[in-house]
Amino acid sequence: KIFNSIHSETEMMRYMHTLQLKDLALDKSMISLGSCTMKLNSATSLMPLSWPEVGGIHPFAPMSQTAGYIEMLNSLEDYMNKITGFDACSLQPTSGASGEYAGLLVIRKFLEEKREGHRDVCIIPRSAHGTNPASAAMCGMKIQWIDDSNGMDLTEFKALCEKNKDRLACLMVTYPSTRAFFEEGIQEICQAVHDNGGQVYMDGANMNAQLGLTSPGMIGADVCHLNLHKTFSIPHGGGGPGLGPICVRKHLAKHLPGHCILQPVNGGDLSAVSAAPYGQAGIAIIPWLFCTMLGKEGITDSGKYAILNANYMKARLAPYYGIKNTNSNDRCSHEFIMDISEVRRKSGVAEEDIAKRLQDYGFHAPTMSWPVPHSLMIEPTESEDRAELDRFCDAMISIREEIRKIEDGTWPADDNPLKNAPHTQTECCASEWTHPYTREEAAFPAPWLLKRGKFWPSVGRVDNSLGDRKLKVRLEE
């Protein structure tokens, strides 16, 4: 219908705006998705995308016509090498998963050159992103899991390396840990892998907590990928586009991805992992400007403020919710995990209910039930000021008080603002209201909603599990 009902630019503009109003995005409030690093995408770094000099170059244009472009790409690779403490970089991978795959192929190529191609065991912590074992499996590796619910036990880890010393290819490790703290024995862990003939692949998903403070090279890794669409502010979500370059130590540099049509400046003897020599080169200007404008001090401050913001929020919310997996100083990294299991046991309120109730307060939900079941993982990034952090914390504290009303019987367990969230404008403005709480408690539970403007969810409660089971759904009028 929509493709046959709009016949003027005016109507198209209004239609596009109505779609924008349905989206709870960064222009309305912080997006606290843990392990996603939803930071600000500055207008300054996005502006050059519209320039024909940036967006109009063919990937296979000859070097003689792309001297400035290549200079920018080489400069970006140099930035990445300095930030990671490595020696060489390839911009070819177009996502984090693509970077993982490319990094493991580089390790496999290196082992084959040493006549150790039989090494095929990859050790992966239980909390790893799902793409880690998937990438290892695609490279023909056999996965050995290790528990890291409270950090990797060094004795157990060294024993696992020793057990597989004749076949150990690599360790895939995320640093800081996906469980939201810095693994204190990380250098010993990396050394144990090297002592048993393997290489260390570091997943760069949490690189925002390392910027200028530590580096993959410093901890002892051999190769890592970087999510430029997270740490270095390329807009992401909804499928892309992304950049997942890999950085490597000197001994792996000759095995970086090459290309059969146009060999990248730093290309090696590995076959291409992307159709274009420099991957998503059109968006490389964004991280280049991020690094150029911030400089060394600004990039380091990004990491510092990301960690500070997360620890500030953790300290404010700790009296109200259980906090999982901090280090020996009771500190988290750039994100933290709230345990909802005790709340769930006492009140019947699940993490999903809290996530949906946050929409009524004007906030996007945090990451749910990963890597810890019945949890919420919160990552504020360095982009948010204290006022926004406090608003989110105030919302979570207010939700905790609403949960207490369920616990003490003030509100029924099956008819309360959390179980019915989110509340739509249609529902709140209807003539009939049968709930034991007021319309104001449903739609305007916080004072800032009247001052800053109310975000109205487009639909009410959705049955998530039904949607997961049904590939196709039909709306019945």
Side-chain angles (χ1 to χ4, degrees), residues 210-233:
Q210 291 195 50
L211 295 175
L213 303 172
T214 181
S215 70
M218 189 181 295
I219 68 172
D222 299 289
V223 54
C224 76
H225 85 266
L226 300 170
N227 292 315
L228 302 194
H229 46 281
K230 292 171 60 176
T231 311
F232 297 92
S233 83

Side-chain angles (χ1 to χ4, degrees), residues 310-384:
N311 277 278
Y312 172 75
M313 294 181 72
K314 181 186 78 68
R316 277 210 64 191
L317 294 174
Y320 305 92
Y321 298 91
I323 304 295
K324 294 284 287 186
N325 300 114
T326 54
N327 67 5
S328 57
N329 297 319
D330 194 30
R331 296 285 187 241
C332 61
S333 56
H334 63 308
E335 58 193 358
F336 63 99
I337 299 173
M338 293 196 320
D339 186 4
I340 309 300
S341 56
E342 187 65 15
V343 169
R344 184 187 181 108
R345 185 183 66 81
K346 288 183 177 180
S347 65
V349 172
E351 61 280 1
E352 179 185 356
D353 302 319
I354 297 174
K356 292 183 184 296
R357 179 60 170 157
L358 276 169
Q359 291 185 50
D360 291 327
Y361 285 82
F363 284 106
H364 195 288
T367 296
M368 267 195 337
S369 297
W370 186 85
V372 178
H374 309 309
S375 70
L376 295 172
M377 182 158 64
I378 297 169
E379 180 185 357
T381 81
E382 73 275 19
S383 299
E384 306 299 340

Side-chain angles (χ1 to χ4, degrees), residues 452-472:
R452 288 164 57 91
K454 167 70 178 175
F455 169 78
W456 288 104
S458 300
V459 296
R461 178 62 68 103
V462 173
D463 188 335
N464 288 355
S465 58
L466 177 65
D468 291 339
R469 293 194 304 270
K470 303 281 188 181
L471 183 61
K472 294 183 179 180

